[in-house]
Amino acid sequence: MRAVRIAPDSALTELVLPESDAHSAIRENVGSPGAVDQAAYHPGALLHIHGEGRLLGLGENLASWALASAWRGMPLYPLHGPVVVTGRAHHGGVAALDDDLVQHARTVTQTVRGTLDTWCTRPPVSYEAALRELLVYAARDVAVGR
């Protein structure tokens, strides 16, 4: 089953999850021995998030945040730690991620990495301005990829 993992440093890794035990593989890739939170920000995708990522001090995942916010059409709460993105079956369960959504994830993660690199020489005026900038770019990337 096709999925992607987005690390806090915006690195994207394509995954092939086993059909028979996808949830265990998702837990392993998110780094959570216990439950993993599941969120639907796009009708065809599920984000699997470490439920205690913030409490454990895992790094903020700006690329996953930007992707989920662009899909939802509004800024969301911060996401922490690695995130696995899978497809969403009609009944709401886990399914293979389709090519268009993989491309959304790939494009947004590349944009976030590039923007973070640019900020090393031209920092944003505030954290809020930085988030707004990322969201504008991610919304553009998702709209172009539709």
Side-chain angles (χ1 to χ4, degrees):
M1 173 183 327
R2 188 177 190 192
V4 296
R5 179 184 185 271
I6 303 172
D9 68 358
S10 302
L12 182 135
T13 305
E14 290 202 37
L15 304 173
V16 178
L17 304 176
E19 299 275 341
S20 61
D21 199 13
H23 292 289
S24 290
I26 289 167
R27 277 195 307 277
E28 181 179 319
N29 278 283
V30 170
S32 176
V36 173
D37 291 344
Q38 204 171 271
Y41 301 113
H42 185 283
L46 292 171
L47 273 72
H48 306 272
I49 305 159
H50 195 300
E52 297 180 350
R54 182 172 178 236
L55 294 173
L56 294 173
L58 299 181
E60 190 169 1
N61 194 323
L62 289 174
S64 292
W65 171 85
L67 178 64
S69 295
W71 278 344
R72 179 61 74 173
M74 60 186 273
L76 300 170
Y77 50 85
L79 303 177
H80 294 268
V83 172
V84 172
V85 184
T86 64
R88 182 175 182 213
H90 295 292
H91 58 78
V94 175
L97 192 61
D98 74 31
D99 292 340
D100 290 341
L101 299 182
V102 169
Q103 189 56 43
H104 285 184
R106 185 178 295 121
T107 303
V108 169
T109 55
Q110 290 170 350
T111 296
V112 169
R113 273 196 313 271
T115 303
L116 293 174
D117 289 345
T118 300
W119 289 348
C120 291
T121 57
R122 184 197 54 83
V125 296
S126 68
Y127 181 73
E128 292 76 20
L131 293 180
R132 283 193 303 273
E133 184 178 350
L134 284 178
L135 186 53
V136 167
Y137 295 153
R140 176 207 58 205
D141 290 346
V142 168
V144 169
R146 287 184 195 227

